[in-house]
Amino acid sequence: MTPSGQYILHVTTAGERWDLLSWRYYGDPTDYSPIIMANPNVPIEPVFDAGISIAVPLQQKSAAVTANLPPWKVSQAVSD
């Protein structure tokens, strides 16, 4: 889930990749699709050059993620 219009601006360094951005911001290297979709003007290259501005959509924790957690873990999962 992406809140409409809420992004983090990331300026790349040489050698960064879509999966590394996904790992850094979402904790999952395979969840790079929202980042790619939010940046239609950025060519899908295997490795970035330095200085490319990337909009990284903020993602909210899903209720399904917290549904099976004990109460003392829910607030921690939501605040991450």
Side-chain angles (χ1 to χ4, degrees):
M1 293 181 209
T2 304
S4 179
Q6 295 182 10
Y7 298 90
I8 295 171
L9 181 63
H10 178 89
V11 179
T12 63
T13 57
E16 285 187 302
R17 304 184 315 253
W18 295 105
D19 62 329
L20 295 176
L21 294 179
S22 178
W23 172 256
R24 177 177 180 175
Y25 291 103
Y26 302 152
D28 180 355
T30 65
D31 194 18
Y32 51 82
S33 293
I35 303 172
I36 290 174
M37 291 173 35
N39 296 278
N41 58 327
V42 177
I44 300 177
E45 298 289 335
V47 178
F48 294 121
D49 290 330
I52 299 172
S53 295
I54 303 287
V56 180
L58 297 179
Q59 292 187 338
Q60 295 177 344
K61 298 281 184 178
S62 168
V65 170
T66 60
N68 295 322
L69 294 177
W72 60 88
K73 291 282 193 175
V74 171
S75 62
Q76 181 182 5
V78 172
S79 67
D80 286 346

